Amino acid sequence: MLSIISLMAKSTPAERIEALRDKIRHHEHLYYVMDAPEISDADYDVIVRELQALEKEHPELITPDSPTQRVGGKPKEGFPKVAHSRPMLSLDNVTSEEELRDWDRRVRERAGENVEISYVCEYKLDGLSMALHYQAKDGQEAKAADAKNVSADLVRALTRGNGTIGEDVTTNVRTIRSVPLSVSAEKLVKAKLPSTFEVRGEVVMPLKAFLKANEEREAQGLTPAANPRNYAAGTIRTLEPNIVAQRRLDFYAYFALTATGENLFTEQSDALDALTAAGFRVNPHREAIHTFDKIMDFVNRAEKHRADLGYEIDGVVIKVSSTELQARLGYTGRAPRWAVAYKFTARAGITQVEDIKVQVGRTGKLTPVAWLKPVVIGGTTVSRATLHNADFIGQLGLKIDDWVKVERGGDVIPKVVEVVEDEAQPRGHTKFHFPTHCPECNSEIVRAEGEADYRCVNVDCPARLRESLLHYASRGVMNIEGLGEAMVTQLLDRKMVSSIADLYKLDEAGLLSLERVGEKSARTLLKEIEQSKKAPLNRVLYGLGIRFIGERTAQLLAEEFGSMDALMVASQEELERVNEVGPRVSQAIREFFDEEKNRILVERLRATGLTFTAEKRKKSSELEGLTFVLTGTLPNLSREDAKAKIETAGGRVSGSVSKKTSYVVAGEEAGSKLEKAQELKVPVIDEARLLELLGGS
Ligand code: IVH
């Protein structure tokens, strides 16, 4: 009888919550670690929402290892210093086959005759090293053999620091989705890991995340970060876990240690397999190798594929696989004898600045560019590098004829990073003066308060038109293949286009009159242009080149407003209802459509047959029936903004906390309402979580 009842009984909230968490962890692992999701984002959101709702109903069941708890409170007093279980060392470098051969010979000599050596080759990820400490749940110590029911929780994440003492950045590392917050007992058993252990590895910023973050910095008038490593290191040390969560860092594991810093496995290759089995992201580019030639093969292949990886590597790490042999080989000062880094040829070079010229972009932005004595960096000849803006030149104290270090980082555009000076490379003498007028059209240039860039204000500036056409035609925007630099230059020189809309007036005869244009390419281009008429609203919006409107914002605006007409008349206030649209963006949109020329452009595009089609998003009613109380200062949203957003999504905002309150949204210096919420066990969330509930990112 009892068993029948228990069979019939529905699961308790606690059981349902655990089941949902397991499911979410499983899908997070597939998505963030394996890059192989099995369900759509929307289906994933449904499960997360159900868990959030249940946790809201049963706040007493919320545990720190819940997938909903990645973004927690801010670290209160910076980052405490904590000693490492054993020092985090660096590696000796080699930069040629010859040096590597020497290292291999020394290893073999020390190992002794007749000792077979197996190496593991791994990519040398260009990030920052991190130690993650996992502990048996609830402090229950257990060995793998009897750990059947003990899972491991992430309890601490330490930066390398000075190698002996690191900084505790746990709150930030928890937001990295490829870092498991807990490892289940089953996984531990499968991976042959105890439930208390340490994982070491590298935190990196994927290039996509880097480029996006830099785009945002530029949109905000900030100088872009130099490279993904610096940006990752800076991000890990910010005091805002929210920001860290948005930057989408990644973690790759490469060592498995006991809590006291001993190796957990007798072979490095086994350690990597175990970490994979436990759910950590381990770089798939790894190989057990026995002969020197194969090591060089691995290095050469790695260098060849370096550009296609989506994250930066700066070499290959070669490790003796046997930990017993590692111990015998030992250490020299700061580096192990049993491992070495083969560093690729630097992606930086030193050369001389021959001139500084100022380019005008499609939004009128003036960018100073260094014209360099050509230098080969990482296999590519570099003769131009960006100098970002006038302030940057000032900070460097850069003069024409100076020698500079140029880096090719994650960005395609090389950049000047510093001025170098020595006997052979003396300082230059010619001071550079930033122009007072547009170098292309001689119009006035302005620099808005708080912005780093000067802009040409002339909307008819030929340079702006040229860049606008190139942007409009480019891949990911209107995808007009065949409308590249050479074609655009000719069209402008012959005065065949003086506006984006003129592209739709081009005909075969006109195109055939251009140089190096045959019948076939003329027809293809016309077909491409015709095809672009069907581009959806979001791409046209992006293509118009409105300041601050990138791909994503254009998409959000198109979803929210559903038509060009609705958007053209929207007030700043209405525009700001869109997640991620703030006053600067809304003002830019308004200014764009308030300009008669731009309205005429839209009408001309419409007249030529552009459809601007978009599907309006269903009004969200995610917050239907929920009551919110706002308290304290939120990091980004004003009270009014937060209220408007909640109400638009169907929720209610009330002034006082009661048992009926669904959520208290607390910001900085929240007062008695927060206490009341805690007393009544009303869930307290921060701004980021509110935005999540609102269906944003
Ligand atoms: S092993 C004592 N493996 O390179 C062993 N390091 O210059 C040192 N790194 O501080 C670490 N990828 O931050 C190892 N697959 C890899 C690595 C790697 C990147 C970094 C790590 C270390 C630095 C050494």
Side-chain angles (χ1 to χ4, degrees), residues 482-483 487-488 490-491 494 496-497 502-503 505-529:
L483 197 58
M487 177 63 80
V488 167
Q490 285 204 70
L491 293 174
R494 301 282 197 91
M496 284 164 71
V497 293
D502 292 341
L503 291 174
K505 288 196 328 202
L506 293 172
D507 58 21
E508 197 174 320
L511 289 176
L512 284 174
S513 74
L514 300 175
E515 274 166 47
R516 273 167 283 126
V517 180
E519 218 164 84
K520 187 159 170 247
S521 53
R523 281 196 194 142
T524 315
L525 178 56
L526 289 174
K527 215 174 91 204
E528 289 277 327
I529 293 174

PDB file of all heavy atoms in Angstrom, residues 482-483 487-488 490-491 494 496-497 502-503 505-529:
ATOM      1  N   GLY A 482      29.875  41.970 -53.950  1.00  0.00           N
ATOM      2  CA  GLY A 482      30.353  42.638 -55.161  1.00  0.00           C
ATOM      3  C   GLY A 482      30.400  44.151 -55.010  1.00  0.00           C
ATOM      4  O   GLY A 482      30.862  44.858 -55.891  1.00  0.00           O
ATOM      5  N   LEU A 483      29.887  44.650 -53.882  1.00  0.00           N
ATOM      6  CA  LEU A 483      29.933  46.093 -53.665  1.00  0.00           C
ATOM      7  C   LEU A 483      31.018  46.386 -52.631  1.00  0.00           C
ATOM      8  O   LEU A 483      30.748  46.775 -51.504  1.00  0.00           O
ATOM      9  CB  LEU A 483      28.561  46.591 -53.188  1.00  0.00           C
ATOM     10  CG  LEU A 483      28.316  48.094 -53.307  1.00  0.00           C
ATOM     11  CD1 LEU A 483      28.468  48.577 -54.725  1.00  0.00           C
ATOM     12  CD2 LEU A 483      26.936  48.459 -52.796  1.00  0.00           C
ATOM     13  N   MET A 487      34.578  49.025 -56.128  1.00  0.00           N
ATOM     14  CA  MET A 487      33.336  49.390 -56.799  1.00  0.00           C
ATOM     15  C   MET A 487      32.788  50.700 -56.234  1.00  0.00           C
ATOM     16  O   MET A 487      32.407  51.604 -56.989  1.00  0.00           O
ATOM     17  CB  MET A 487      32.332  48.237 -56.626  1.00  0.00           C
ATOM     18  CG  MET A 487      30.974  48.489 -57.202  1.00  0.00           C
ATOM     19  SD  MET A 487      30.984  48.718 -58.985  1.00  0.00           S
ATOM     20  CE  MET A 487      31.056  47.029 -59.546  1.00  0.00           C
ATOM     21  N   VAL A 488      32.743  50.799 -54.908  1.00  0.00           N
ATOM     22  CA  VAL A 488      32.189  52.002 -54.285  1.00  0.00           C
ATOM     23  C   VAL A 488      32.996  53.234 -54.698  1.00  0.00           C
ATOM     24  O   VAL A 488      32.434  54.288 -55.026  1.00  0.00           O
ATOM     25  CB  VAL A 488      32.153  51.842 -52.743  1.00  0.00           C
ATOM     26  CG1 VAL A 488      31.892  53.183 -52.068  1.00  0.00           C
ATOM     27  CG2 VAL A 488      31.075  50.842 -52.342  1.00  0.00           C
ATOM     28  N   GLN A 490      34.684  53.741 -57.427  1.00  0.00           N
ATOM     29  CA  GLN A 490      34.345  54.123 -58.809  1.00  0.00           C
ATOM     30  C   GLN A 490      32.976  54.795 -58.891  1.00  0.00           C
ATOM     31  O   GLN A 490      32.806  55.788 -59.591  1.00  0.00           O
ATOM     32  CB  GLN A 490      34.326  52.882 -59.711  1.00  0.00           C
ATOM     33  CG  GLN A 490      35.704  52.375 -60.063  1.00  0.00           C
ATOM     34  CD  GLN A 490      35.642  51.567 -61.362  1.00  0.00           C
ATOM     35  OE1 GLN A 490      35.432  52.120 -62.438  1.00  0.00           O
ATOM     36  NE2 GLN A 490      35.802  50.260 -61.247  1.00  0.00           N
ATOM     37  N   LEU A 491      32.002  54.215 -58.183  1.00  0.00           N
ATOM     38  CA  LEU A 491      30.648  54.783 -58.227  1.00  0.00           C
ATOM     39  C   LEU A 491      30.641  56.223 -57.720  1.00  0.00           C
ATOM     40  O   LEU A 491      29.934  57.085 -58.262  1.00  0.00           O
ATOM     41  CB  LEU A 491      29.679  53.931 -57.396  1.00  0.00           C
ATOM     42  CG  LEU A 491      29.390  52.518 -57.917  1.00  0.00           C
ATOM     43  CD1 LEU A 491      28.535  51.740 -56.923  1.00  0.00           C
ATOM     44  CD2 LEU A 491      28.687  52.584 -59.272  1.00  0.00           C
ATOM     45  N   ARG A 494      32.532  58.625 -60.225  1.00  0.00           N
ATOM     46  CA  ARG A 494      31.715  58.949 -61.408  1.00  0.00           C
ATOM     47  C   ARG A 494      30.399  59.619 -61.043  1.00  0.00           C
ATOM     48  O   ARG A 494      29.539  59.811 -61.892  1.00  0.00           O
ATOM     49  CB  ARG A 494      31.365  57.650 -62.156  1.00  0.00           C
ATOM     50  CG  ARG A 494      32.539  56.868 -62.629  1.00  0.00           C
ATOM     51  CD  ARG A 494      33.113  57.499 -63.898  1.00  0.00           C
ATOM     52  NE  ARG A 494      33.958  56.544 -64.554  1.00  0.00           N
ATOM     53  CZ  ARG A 494      33.557  55.687 -65.485  1.00  0.00           C
ATOM     54  NH1 ARG A 494      32.311  55.702 -65.890  1.00  0.00           N
ATOM     55  NH2 ARG A 494      34.396  54.830 -66.016  1.00  0.00           N
ATOM     56  N   MET A 496      27.900  58.436 -59.670  1.00  0.00           N
ATOM     57  CA  MET A 496      26.729  57.612 -59.988  1.00  0.00           C
ATOM     58  C   MET A 496      25.858  57.369 -58.765  1.00  0.00           C
ATOM     59  O   MET A 496      24.685  57.011 -58.886  1.00  0.00           O
ATOM     60  CB  MET A 496      27.171  56.275 -60.597  1.00  0.00           C
ATOM     61  CG  MET A 496      27.620  56.448 -62.050  1.00  0.00           C
ATOM     62  SD  MET A 496      28.564  55.054 -62.664  1.00  0.00           S
ATOM     63  CE  MET A 496      27.321  53.805 -62.799  1.00  0.00           C
ATOM     64  N   VAL A 497      26.418  57.526 -57.580  1.00  0.00           N
ATOM     65  CA  VAL A 497      25.598  57.469 -56.362  1.00  0.00           C
ATOM     66  C   VAL A 497      25.988  58.614 -55.433  1.00  0.00           C
ATOM     67  O   VAL A 497      27.163  58.954 -55.309  1.00  0.00           O
ATOM     68  CB  VAL A 497      25.755  56.138 -55.569  1.00  0.00           C
ATOM     69  CG1 VAL A 497      25.220  54.953 -56.315  1.00  0.00           C
ATOM     70  CG2 VAL A 497      27.193  55.893 -55.172  1.00  0.00           C
ATOM     71  N   ASP A 502      20.538  55.606 -54.068  1.00  0.00           N
ATOM     72  CA  ASP A 502      20.946  55.600 -55.479  1.00  0.00           C
ATOM     73  C   ASP A 502      21.419  54.225 -55.949  1.00  0.00           C
ATOM     74  O   ASP A 502      21.464  53.965 -57.151  1.00  0.00           O
ATOM     75  CB  ASP A 502      22.071  56.609 -55.723  1.00  0.00           C
ATOM     76  CG  ASP A 502      21.588  58.046 -55.549  1.00  0.00           C
ATOM     77  OD1 ASP A 502      20.359  58.259 -55.603  1.00  0.00           O
ATOM     78  OD2 ASP A 502      22.435  58.931 -55.343  1.00  0.00           O
ATOM     79  N   LEU A 503      21.803  53.370 -55.001  1.00  0.00           N
ATOM     80  CA  LEU A 503      22.244  52.021 -55.389  1.00  0.00           C
ATOM     81  C   LEU A 503      21.140  51.329 -56.176  1.00  0.00           C
ATOM     82  O   LEU A 503      21.397  50.559 -57.094  1.00  0.00           O
ATOM     83  CB  LEU A 503      22.557  51.176 -54.146  1.00  0.00           C
ATOM     84  CG  LEU A 503      23.783  51.585 -53.332  1.00  0.00           C
ATOM     85  CD1 LEU A 503      23.859  50.741 -52.071  1.00  0.00           C
ATOM     86  CD2 LEU A 503      25.047  51.412 -54.165  1.00  0.00           C
ATOM     87  N   LYS A 505      19.141  52.605 -58.208  1.00  0.00           N
ATOM     88  CA  LYS A 505      18.898  53.179 -59.536  1.00  0.00           C
ATOM     89  C   LYS A 505      19.929  52.693 -60.560  1.00  0.00           C
ATOM     90  O   LYS A 505      19.838  53.013 -61.734  1.00  0.00           O
ATOM     91  CB  LYS A 505      18.985  54.710 -59.458  1.00  0.00           C
ATOM     92  CG  LYS A 505      17.821  55.342 -58.757  1.00  0.00           C
ATOM     93  CD  LYS A 505      17.732  56.855 -59.027  1.00  0.00           C
ATOM     94  CE  LYS A 505      19.077  57.512 -59.229  1.00  0.00           C
ATOM     95  NZ  LYS A 505      19.103  58.952 -58.984  1.00  0.00           N
ATOM     96  N   LEU A 506      20.936  51.978 -60.071  1.00  0.00           N
ATOM     97  CA  LEU A 506      21.999  51.538 -60.983  1.00  0.00           C
ATOM     98  C   LEU A 506      21.431  50.610 -62.046  1.00  0.00           C
ATOM     99  O   LEU A 506      20.507  49.842 -61.782  1.00  0.00           O
ATOM    100  CB  LEU A 506      23.097  50.805 -60.200  1.00  0.00           C
ATOM    101  CG  LEU A 506      23.907  51.671 -59.233  1.00  0.00           C
ATOM    102  CD1 LEU A 506      24.823  50.797 -58.391  1.00  0.00           C
ATOM    103  CD2 LEU A 506      24.699  52.727 -59.990  1.00  0.00           C
ATOM    104  N   ASP A 507      21.992  50.711 -63.260  1.00  0.00           N
ATOM    105  CA  ASP A 507      21.561  49.776 -64.304  1.00  0.00           C
ATOM    106  C   ASP A 507      22.778  49.178 -64.997  1.00  0.00           C
ATOM    107  O   ASP A 507      23.919  49.593 -64.765  1.00  0.00           O
ATOM    108  CB  ASP A 507      20.608  50.445 -65.298  1.00  0.00           C
ATOM    109  CG  ASP A 507      21.250  51.656 -65.947  1.00  0.00           C
ATOM    110  OD1 ASP A 507      22.495  51.743 -65.946  1.00  0.00           O
ATOM    111  OD2 ASP A 507      20.509  52.535 -66.428  1.00  0.00           O
ATOM    112  N   GLU A 508      22.498  48.198 -65.836  1.00  0.00           N
ATOM    113  CA  GLU A 508      23.577  47.440 -66.444  1.00  0.00           C
ATOM    114  C   GLU A 508      24.486  48.337 -67.287  1.00  0.00           C
ATOM    115  O   GLU A 508      25.716  48.262 -67.189  1.00  0.00           O
ATOM    116  CB  GLU A 508      22.990  46.299 -67.289  1.00  0.00           C
ATOM    117  CG  GLU A 508      24.010  45.243 -67.600  1.00  0.00           C
ATOM    118  CD  GLU A 508      23.390  44.042 -68.300  1.00  0.00           C
ATOM    119  OE1 GLU A 508      22.267  43.645 -67.917  1.00  0.00           O
ATOM    120  OE2 GLU A 508      24.025  43.508 -69.218  1.00  0.00           O
ATOM    121  N   ALA A 509      23.879  49.217 -68.079  1.00  0.00           N
ATOM    122  CA  ALA A 509      24.683  50.079 -68.948  1.00  0.00           C
ATOM    123  C   ALA A 509      25.643  50.930 -68.119  1.00  0.00           C
ATOM    124  O   ALA A 509      26.831  51.062 -68.448  1.00  0.00           O
ATOM    125  CB  ALA A 509      23.758  50.969 -69.777  1.00  0.00           C
ATOM    126  N   GLY A 510      25.111  51.486 -67.047  1.00  0.00           N
ATOM    127  CA  GLY A 510      25.947  52.313 -66.179  1.00  0.00           C
ATOM    128  C   GLY A 510      27.121  51.520 -65.622  1.00  0.00           C
ATOM    129  O   GLY A 510      28.270  51.964 -65.655  1.00  0.00           O
ATOM    130  N   LEU A 511      26.814  50.339 -65.114  1.00  0.00           N
ATOM    131  CA  LEU A 511      27.869  49.519 -64.507  1.00  0.00           C
ATOM    132  C   LEU A 511      28.912  49.113 -65.547  1.00  0.00           C
ATOM    133  O   LEU A 511      30.107  49.069 -65.259  1.00  0.00           O
ATOM    134  CB  LEU A 511      27.266  48.270 -63.853  1.00  0.00           C
ATOM    135  CG  LEU A 511      26.449  48.522 -62.568  1.00  0.00           C
ATOM    136  CD1 LEU A 511      25.829  47.227 -62.071  1.00  0.00           C
ATOM    137  CD2 LEU A 511      27.315  49.139 -61.479  1.00  0.00           C
ATOM    138  N   LEU A 512      28.439  48.834 -66.763  1.00  0.00           N
ATOM    139  CA  LEU A 512      29.365  48.397 -67.811  1.00  0.00           C
ATOM    140  C   LEU A 512      30.332  49.504 -68.220  1.00  0.00           C
ATOM    141  O   LEU A 512      31.404  49.243 -68.756  1.00  0.00           O
ATOM    142  CB  LEU A 512      28.590  47.884 -69.023  1.00  0.00           C
ATOM    143  CG  LEU A 512      27.984  46.490 -68.837  1.00  0.00           C
ATOM    144  CD1 LEU A 512      27.118  46.129 -70.027  1.00  0.00           C
ATOM    145  CD2 LEU A 512      29.065  45.444 -68.623  1.00  0.00           C
ATOM    146  N   SER A 513      29.947  50.736 -67.936  1.00  0.00           N
ATOM    147  CA  SER A 513      30.835  51.843 -68.285  1.00  0.00           C
ATOM    148  C   SER A 513      32.004  51.965 -67.297  1.00  0.00           C
ATOM    149  O   SER A 513      32.915  52.751 -67.499  1.00  0.00           O
ATOM    150  CB  SER A 513      30.040  53.149 -68.329  1.00  0.00           C
ATOM    151  OG  SER A 513      29.746  53.554 -67.003  1.00  0.00           O
ATOM    152  N   LEU A 514      31.940  51.207 -66.203  1.00  0.00           N
ATOM    153  CA  LEU A 514      33.017  51.278 -65.204  1.00  0.00           C
ATOM    154  C   LEU A 514      34.185  50.389 -65.605  1.00  0.00           C
ATOM    155  O   LEU A 514      34.035  49.465 -66.399  1.00  0.00           O
ATOM    156  CB  LEU A 514      32.491  50.828 -63.833  1.00  0.00           C
ATOM    157  CG  LEU A 514      31.338  51.639 -63.255  1.00  0.00           C
ATOM    158  CD1 LEU A 514      30.851  51.006 -61.965  1.00  0.00           C
ATOM    159  CD2 LEU A 514      31.770  53.083 -63.014  1.00  0.00           C
ATOM    160  N   GLU A 515      35.325  50.695 -65.030  1.00  0.00           N
ATOM    161  CA  GLU A 515      36.496  49.884 -65.330  1.00  0.00           C
ATOM    162  C   GLU A 515      36.395  48.516 -64.683  1.00  0.00           C
ATOM    163  O   GLU A 515      35.899  48.388 -63.568  1.00  0.00           O
ATOM    164  CB  GLU A 515      37.757  50.578 -64.804  1.00  0.00           C
ATOM    165  CG  GLU A 515      38.332  51.567 -65.790  1.00  0.00           C
ATOM    166  CD  GLU A 515      39.350  52.447 -65.110  1.00  0.00           C
ATOM    167  OE1 GLU A 515      40.207  51.902 -64.394  1.00  0.00           O
ATOM    168  OE2 GLU A 515      39.252  53.683 -65.282  1.00  0.00           O
ATOM    169  N   ARG A 516      36.913  47.554 -65.362  1.00  0.00           N
ATOM    170  CA  ARG A 516      36.990  46.172 -64.882  1.00  0.00           C
ATOM    171  C   ARG A 516      35.623  45.614 -64.450  1.00  0.00           C
ATOM    172  O   ARG A 516      35.527  44.860 -63.494  1.00  0.00           O
ATOM    173  CB  ARG A 516      37.999  46.047 -63.727  1.00  0.00           C
ATOM    174  CG  ARG A 516      39.424  45.813 -64.247  1.00  0.00           C
ATOM    175  CD  ARG A 516      40.435  46.008 -63.165  1.00  0.00           C
ATOM    176  NE  ARG A 516      40.651  47.434 -62.921  1.00  0.00           N
ATOM    177  CZ  ARG A 516      40.550  48.036 -61.756  1.00  0.00           C
ATOM    178  NH1 ARG A 516      40.228  47.338 -60.708  1.00  0.00           N
ATOM    179  NH2 ARG A 516      40.775  49.312 -61.634  1.00  0.00           N
ATOM    180  N   VAL A 517      34.569  46.033 -65.116  1.00  0.00           N
ATOM    181  CA  VAL A 517      33.255  45.446 -64.840  1.00  0.00           C
ATOM    182  C   VAL A 517      32.725  44.826 -66.123  1.00  0.00           C
ATOM    183  O   VAL A 517      32.513  45.521 -67.120  1.00  0.00           O
ATOM    184  CB  VAL A 517      32.249  46.492 -64.316  1.00  0.00           C
ATOM    185  CG1 VAL A 517      30.895  45.844 -64.045  1.00  0.00           C
ATOM    186  CG2 VAL A 517      32.782  47.145 -63.051  1.00  0.00           C
ATOM    187  N   GLY A 518      32.565  43.502 -66.101  1.00  0.00           N
ATOM    188  CA  GLY A 518      32.044  42.796 -67.266  1.00  0.00           C
ATOM    189  C   GLY A 518      30.552  42.573 -67.124  1.00  0.00           C
ATOM    190  O   GLY A 518      29.954  42.910 -66.090  1.00  0.00           O
ATOM    191  N   GLU A 519      29.984  41.996 -68.159  1.00  0.00           N
ATOM    192  CA  GLU A 519      28.544  41.759 -68.159  1.00  0.00           C
ATOM    193  C   GLU A 519      28.117  40.890 -66.971  1.00  0.00           C
ATOM    194  O   GLU A 519      27.145  41.173 -66.298  1.00  0.00           O
ATOM    195  CB  GLU A 519      28.174  41.050 -69.455  1.00  0.00           C
ATOM    196  CG  GLU A 519      26.861  41.516 -70.024  1.00  0.00           C
ATOM    197  CD  GLU A 519      26.731  41.078 -71.471  1.00  0.00           C
ATOM    198  OE1 GLU A 519      26.307  39.932 -71.668  1.00  0.00           O
ATOM    199  OE2 GLU A 519      27.068  41.880 -72.372  1.00  0.00           O
ATOM    200  N   LYS A 520      28.934  39.862 -66.740  1.00  0.00           N
ATOM    201  CA  LYS A 520      28.562  38.908 -65.703  1.00  0.00           C
ATOM    202  C   LYS A 520      28.564  39.564 -64.317  1.00  0.00           C
ATOM    203  O   LYS A 520      27.593  39.451 -63.559  1.00  0.00           O
ATOM    204  CB  LYS A 520      29.531  37.718 -65.729  1.00  0.00           C
ATOM    205  CG  LYS A 520      29.131  36.614 -64.819  1.00  0.00           C
ATOM    206  CD  LYS A 520      29.749  35.284 -65.205  1.00  0.00           C
ATOM    207  CE  LYS A 520      29.515  34.273 -64.123  1.00  0.00           C
ATOM    208  NZ  LYS A 520      30.751  33.870 -63.463  1.00  0.00           N
ATOM    209  N   SER A 521      29.642  40.292 -64.017  1.00  0.00           N
ATOM    210  CA  SER A 521      29.697  40.877 -62.669  1.00  0.00           C
ATOM    211  C   SER A 521      28.663  41.987 -62.517  1.00  0.00           C
ATOM    212  O   SER A 521      28.108  42.188 -61.432  1.00  0.00           O
ATOM    213  CB  SER A 521      31.107  41.352 -62.317  1.00  0.00           C
ATOM    214  OG  SER A 521      31.609  42.201 -63.312  1.00  0.00           O
ATOM    215  N   ALA A 522      28.366  42.705 -63.604  1.00  0.00           N
ATOM    216  CA  ALA A 522      27.335  43.745 -63.527  1.00  0.00           C
ATOM    217  C   ALA A 522      25.982  43.114 -63.188  1.00  0.00           C
ATOM    218  O   ALA A 522      25.266  43.578 -62.302  1.00  0.00           O
ATOM    219  CB  ALA A 522      27.245  44.495 -64.851  1.00  0.00           C
ATOM    220  N   ARG A 523      25.682  42.020 -63.887  1.00  0.00           N
ATOM    221  CA  ARG A 523      24.374  41.364 -63.640  1.00  0.00           C
ATOM    222  C   ARG A 523      24.299  40.795 -62.228  1.00  0.00           C
ATOM    223  O   ARG A 523      23.264  40.906 -61.564  1.00  0.00           O
ATOM    224  CB  ARG A 523      24.158  40.242 -64.651  1.00  0.00           C
ATOM    225  CG  ARG A 523      23.702  40.822 -65.959  1.00  0.00           C
ATOM    226  CD  ARG A 523      23.094  39.787 -66.881  1.00  0.00           C
ATOM    227  NE  ARG A 523      23.005  40.403 -68.191  1.00  0.00           N
ATOM    228  CZ  ARG A 523      23.221  39.780 -69.330  1.00  0.00           C
ATOM    229  NH1 ARG A 523      23.511  38.491 -69.340  1.00  0.00           N
ATOM    230  NH2 ARG A 523      23.128  40.418 -70.470  1.00  0.00           N
ATOM    231  N   THR A 524      25.414  40.194 -61.798  1.00  0.00           N
ATOM    232  CA  THR A 524      25.407  39.620 -60.445  1.00  0.00           C
ATOM    233  C   THR A 524      25.171  40.717 -59.414  1.00  0.00           C
ATOM    234  O   THR A 524      24.370  40.561 -58.493  1.00  0.00           O
ATOM    235  CB  THR A 524      26.751  38.927 -60.140  1.00  0.00           C
ATOM    236  OG1 THR A 524      27.112  38.157 -61.265  1.00  0.00           O
ATOM    237  CG2 THR A 524      26.668  38.070 -58.896  1.00  0.00           C
ATOM    238  N   LEU A 525      25.867  41.842 -59.591  1.00  0.00           N
ATOM    239  CA  LEU A 525      25.711  42.924 -58.619  1.00  0.00           C
ATOM    240  C   LEU A 525      24.266  43.432 -58.607  1.00  0.00           C
ATOM    241  O   LEU A 525      23.672  43.619 -57.544  1.00  0.00           O
ATOM    242  CB  LEU A 525      26.685  44.067 -58.933  1.00  0.00           C
ATOM    243  CG  LEU A 525      26.583  45.279 -58.010  1.00  0.00           C
ATOM    244  CD1 LEU A 525      26.768  44.885 -56.553  1.00  0.00           C
ATOM    245  CD2 LEU A 525      27.595  46.359 -58.393  1.00  0.00           C
ATOM    246  N   LEU A 526      23.680  43.594 -59.784  1.00  0.00           N
ATOM    247  CA  LEU A 526      22.294  44.078 -59.836  1.00  0.00           C
ATOM    248  C   LEU A 526      21.343  43.089 -59.163  1.00  0.00           C
ATOM    249  O   LEU A 526      20.405  43.484 -58.478  1.00  0.00           O
ATOM    250  CB  LEU A 526      21.871  44.329 -61.294  1.00  0.00           C
ATOM    251  CG  LEU A 526      22.547  45.535 -61.948  1.00  0.00           C
ATOM    252  CD1 LEU A 526      22.180  45.625 -63.426  1.00  0.00           C
ATOM    253  CD2 LEU A 526      22.166  46.837 -61.236  1.00  0.00           C
ATOM    254  N   LYS A 527      21.643  41.813 -59.346  1.00  0.00           N
ATOM    255  CA  LYS A 527      20.800  40.794 -58.711  1.00  0.00           C
ATOM    256  C   LYS A 527      20.925  40.873 -57.182  1.00  0.00           C
ATOM    257  O   LYS A 527      19.933  40.803 -56.461  1.00  0.00           O
ATOM    258  CB  LYS A 527      21.221  39.398 -59.202  1.00  0.00           C
ATOM    259  CG  LYS A 527      20.042  38.455 -59.341  1.00  0.00           C
ATOM    260  CD  LYS A 527      20.443  37.138 -59.961  1.00  0.00           C
ATOM    261  CE  LYS A 527      20.816  36.143 -58.905  1.00  0.00           C
ATOM    262  NZ  LYS A 527      21.691  35.079 -59.319  1.00  0.00           N
ATOM    263  N   GLU A 528      22.156  41.071 -56.743  1.00  0.00           N
ATOM    264  CA  GLU A 528      22.400  41.183 -55.293  1.00  0.00           C
ATOM    265  C   GLU A 528      21.666  42.399 -54.714  1.00  0.00           C
ATOM    266  O   GLU A 528      21.079  42.334 -53.643  1.00  0.00           O
ATOM    267  CB  GLU A 528      23.900  41.345 -55.020  1.00  0.00           C
ATOM    268  CG  GLU A 528      24.721  40.089 -55.279  1.00  0.00           C
ATOM    269  CD  GLU A 528      24.678  39.137 -54.103  1.00  0.00           C
ATOM    270  OE1 GLU A 528      24.595  39.626 -52.963  1.00  0.00           O
ATOM    271  OE2 GLU A 528      24.716  37.912 -54.320  1.00  0.00           O
ATOM    272  N   ILE A 529      21.726  43.499 -55.459  1.00  0.00           N
ATOM    273  CA  ILE A 529      21.070  44.721 -54.988  1.00  0.00           C
ATOM    274  C   ILE A 529      19.558  44.510 -54.923  1.00  0.00           C
ATOM    275  O   ILE A 529      18.898  44.862 -53.944  1.00  0.00           O
ATOM    276  CB  ILE A 529      21.426  45.931 -55.892  1.00  0.00           C
ATOM    277  CG1 ILE A 529      22.918  46.260 -55.737  1.00  0.00           C
ATOM    278  CG2 ILE A 529      20.568  47.135 -55.562  1.00  0.00           C
ATOM    279  CD1 ILE A 529      23.436  47.339 -56.669  1.00  0.00           C
TER     280      ILE A 529
END
